[in-house]
Amino acid sequence: MRVMTKPAIVNIEHVGQHAGEEVTLQGWLYNLRESGKLLFPIFRDGTGILQGVVSQKEQPTAFEALHGLGQESSVIVTGKIRPEPRAPGGFEMGVTHVEVVGRVKESEPYPIQLKEHGVDFLLDRRHLWVRTPRQASILRIRAEAIRAGREFMDAQGYTLADAPIFTPAACEGTTTLFEVQYVDDQKAYLTQSGQLYSEALAAALGKVYCFGPTFRAEKSKTRRHLTEFWMLEPEASYAHLEDMMALGEGLVSHIVQSVVRNRRRELETLKRDIPKLEAVLPPFPRITYDDAVAILQQRGNPAKWGDDFGGDEETILSSQFDRPVMVHRYPAAIKAFYMEPDPLRSELALGFDMLAPEGYGEIIGGGERISSYDLLVKRLRENNLPEEAFQWYLDLRRYGSVPHAGFGMGLERTVAWICGTEHIREVVPFPRMIYRVYP
RNA sequence: UCCCCGGUAGCUCAAUGGUAGAGCAUUCGGCUGUUAACCGAAGGGUUGCAAGUUCGAAUCUUGCCCGGGGAGCCA
């Protein structure tokens, strides 16, 4: 007697390896085109989309099951895979069996159509919007960027040591922090950076990085801002500004090249200009703040020495180069209190920013930290920061202080640049923005 | 906080002072190679809210609400 074997369950991304075989897909009905007694359902399973074809004459049962079925109904379908130049993707399933797992009711059709929608509408339905191939591709690229970033840091000898999310006080003032009710009457704040904690951990472990969410209550409403975003923050003892610029360029180029290598299909779905990403290899250009001001003035920008750069200035600077540019040695006055001064010119801070190409703005900010106890106390006082809250941080300078440096890489800005998205909100599963926390 | 733009059918939009429309979606009918399929028909509206001007307001005025983009601040 014959043994009936069940067809293998396969993912659509691997369907090309099963040409000529009968396979089963578990997914959703992405679209249904009907042409008389012939149906062209398009299935998606999260790894891709695949067109099916069903003839009423040859497969009446499968035809009836799919006929009139609503978009995004969940289905398990079986059929033979064959090359088909007329089908998107080059392969097609001749559907022989259909199991409708979850039918979408006609009275409540799936709201997101295969057409343009407004931002407000899509953001209110982010829980459904993520199903579209474009959004799913972005989220896969995000995952690859995280994997590659951690792979690089680990290979460089950095130990993952995460910073807390509840913090007792502001790093740099409380106005941009989210305050939360802690136990009893205590107040706590959501972290705006793991850096200060990473400095402590770097003195314990040598080279560390943290990777987690950070929170900013700034009322920024731009395509570059979220209230909750993820940062990868390395910190290394006995490290200097130049070490961090080399690390940053290595990290960013490794992330970009890993995405190009491992998520090419997704970049193609996004219609990203891949050669532009392939060019993102070390060395990245390094220019001083002085150079940057000169470049801006040459281009007719009214920037003066001592000004911080806004979005326009960043766009002009980054557009001069085909890969990220690092601007270093800013005036100390416009940088954070903990930045080490340049020993050659004390009005400068040993900090740097990395600006992504194509106007995506600052993706890395960092530099060398003050190692002198006396100077750090002086800077705390100059900035009117509460010394009591920073006693543990001052301890790092009391007990075996060393030169050390680090930076923070904004994940979403980096991924938005890699994906070429119009807005940073598309590169996080559920974006948190000022005035928008649903769903 | 400030500046600019927007809000009309479930969605995307049109209608600039004179009867509120189209495409998509939904329902019904047709179509054996579709490509956001196509063709025909039907149902679907307190034009964000409130007040004002006017014979008449989606349209003009004022206030409010909501959203978007930018500045500041930042990654």
Side-chain angles (χ1 to χ4, degrees), chain A residues 217-287:
Chain A
E218 294 151 2
K219 295 200 173 169
S220 299
K221 289 174 62 176
T222 85
R223 69 186 71 186
R224 299 188 307 279
H225 288 86
L226 298 169
T227 53
E228 176 183 320
F229 65 97
W230 286 61
M231 277 207 293
L232 193 160
E233 297 178 274
E235 194 73 30
S237 297
Y238 294 104
H240 298 277
L241 174 63
E242 281 67 26
D243 301 317
M244 286 304 114
M245 291 201 281
L247 187 73
E249 115 192 315
L251 173 64
V252 169
S253 58
H254 181 73
I255 289 172
V256 171
Q257 297 311 318
S258 295
V259 170
V260 168
R261 187 167 55 250
N262 300 324
R263 289 293 173 216
R264 181 171 287 267
R265 186 198 308 252
E266 284 77 7
L267 290 171
E268 287 165 354
T269 297
L270 300 178
K271 299 183 167 61
R272 184 66 167 102
D273 188 344
I274 294 175
K276 276 191 179 167
L277 296 178
E278 287 171 330
V280 179
L281 296 168
F284 293 177
R286 292 156 166 79
I287 61 173

Side-chain angles (χ1 to χ4, degrees), chain A residues 1 5 51 56 67 120-121 188 223 238 251 300 307 321 343 357 377 401-402 409 439:
Chain A
M1 91 186 195
T5 54
Q51 175 171 291
Q56 186 178 34
H67 177 63
D120 191 41
F121 178 80
R223 69 186 71 186
Y238 294 104
L251 173 64
D307 292 347
F321 305 98
V377 169
S401 190
V402 296
M409 183 194 78

Side-chain angles (χ1 to χ4, degrees), chain A residues 122-415:
Chain A
L122 291 170
L123 285 172
D124 281 343
R125 290 160 187 78
R126 181 60 175 172
H127 51 293
L128 302 175
W129 187 22
V130 289
R131 298 184 184 193
T132 64
R134 176 182 162 81
Q135 297 303 313
S137 295
I138 290 170
L139 295 180
R140 285 178 184 280
I141 289 169
R142 176 192 173 93
E144 174 62 16
I146 293 170
R147 190 204 63 74
R150 293 193 49 174
E151 173 182 74
F152 179 84
M153 295 311 302
D154 293 343
Q156 297 293 312
Y158 283 72
T159 301
L160 179 71
D162 285 320
I165 288 171
F166 287 131
T167 59
C171 297
E172 300 157 39
T174 53
T175 52
T176 63
L177 293 183
F178 287 103
E179 186 179 292
V180 295
Q181 179 74 46
Y182 205 60
V183 180
D184 297 332
D185 289 337
Q186 291 187 69
K187 293 270 197 295
Y189 302 89
L190 300 183
T191 182
Q192 64 176 177
S193 167
Q195 180 204 315
L196 271 48
Y197 294 95
S198 289
E199 289 184 53
L201 294 163
L205 298 164
K207 298 196 285 188
V208 299
Y209 68 104
C210 63
F211 178 60
T214 61
F215 306 87
R216 303 275 169 93
E218 294 151 2
K219 295 200 173 169
S220 299
K221 289 174 62 176
T222 85
R223 69 186 71 186
R224 299 188 307 279
H225 288 86
L226 298 169
T227 53
E228 176 183 320
F229 65 97
W230 286 61
M231 277 207 293
L232 193 160
E233 297 178 274
E235 194 73 30
S237 297
Y238 294 104
H240 298 277
L241 174 63
E242 281 67 26
D243 301 317
M244 286 304 114
M245 291 201 281
L247 187 73
E249 115 192 315
L251 173 64
V252 169
S253 58
H254 181 73
I255 289 172
V256 171
Q257 297 311 318
S258 295
V259 170
V260 168
R261 187 167 55 250
N262 300 324
R263 289 293 173 216
R264 181 171 287 267
R265 186 198 308 252
E266 284 77 7
L267 290 171
E268 287 165 354
T269 297
L270 300 178
K271 299 183 167 61
R272 184 66 167 102
D273 188 344
I274 294 175
K276 276 191 179 167
L277 296 178
E278 287 171 330
V280 179
L281 296 168
F284 293 177
R286 292 156 166 79
I287 61 173
T288 64
Y289 173 86
D290 294 350
D291 295 337
V293 171
I295 290 171
L296 290 170
Q297 289 174 347
Q298 275 171 25
R299 311 280 150 181
N301 185 281
K304 306 186 302 292
W305 200 96
D307 292 347
D308 205 353
F309 300 145
D312 288 351
E313 288 76 27
E314 289 179 354
T315 301
I316 293 169
L317 290 172
S318 64
S319 67
Q320 310 298 310
F321 305 98
D322 66 345
R323 58 196 79 186
V325 56
M326 292 186 280
V327 182
H328 59 94
R329 292 181 168 81
Y330 284 78
I334 57 171
K335 285 290 171 185
F337 74 93
Y338 47 71
M339 289 253 186
E340 180 79 13
D342 186 341
L344 301 177
R345 283 172 65 187
S346 62
E347 75 276 19
L348 299 180
L350 291 177
F352 79 106
D353 288 346
M354 184 188 290
L355 307 178
E358 302 169 60
Y360 283 89
E362 182 185 341
I363 54 174
I364 283 180
E368 203 163 326
R369 324 304 190 185
I370 289 173
S371 58
S372 153
Y373 177 91
D374 291 341
L375 180 58
L376 188 55
V377 169
K378 183 164 171 259
R379 286 288 153 81
L380 286 171
R381 288 177 185 160
E382 284 169 1
N383 287 273
N384 291 318
L385 292 166
E387 265 175 72
E388 321 81 68
F390 287 93
Q391 283 307 313
W392 71 266
Y393 188 60
L394 287 164
D395 270 355
L396 307 178
R397 279 74 182 172
R398 287 190 182 100
Y399 305 115
S401 190
V402 296
H404 62 289
F407 63 77
M409 183 194 78
L411 178 73
E412 284 79 10
R413 285 189 183 174
T414 304
V415 175

Side-chain angles (χ1 to χ4, degrees), chain A residues 77-153:
Chain A
V77 294
T78 299
K80 188 183 272 191
I81 300 299
R82 56 178 177 251
E84 171 52 71
R86 288 171 293 186
F91 290 92
E92 184 176 79
M93 171 186 273
V95 180
T96 52
H97 186 262
V98 176
E99 178 189 344
V100 177
V101 178
R103 171 180 289 272
V104 173
K105 287 193 280 188
E106 291 80 359
S107 58
E108 290 178 290
Y110 186 67
I112 299 178
Q113 301 173 32
L114 276 61
K115 61 172 227 176
E116 295 290 328
H117 287 285
V119 171
D120 191 41
F121 178 80
L122 291 170
L123 285 172
D124 281 343
R125 290 160 187 78
R126 181 60 175 172
H127 51 293
L128 302 175
W129 187 22
V130 289
R131 298 184 184 193
T132 64
R134 176 182 162 81
Q135 297 303 313
S137 295
I138 290 170
L139 295 180
R140 285 178 184 280
I141 289 169
R142 176 192 173 93
E144 174 62 16
I146 293 170
R147 190 204 63 74
R150 293 193 49 174
E151 173 182 74
F152 179 84
M153 295 311 302

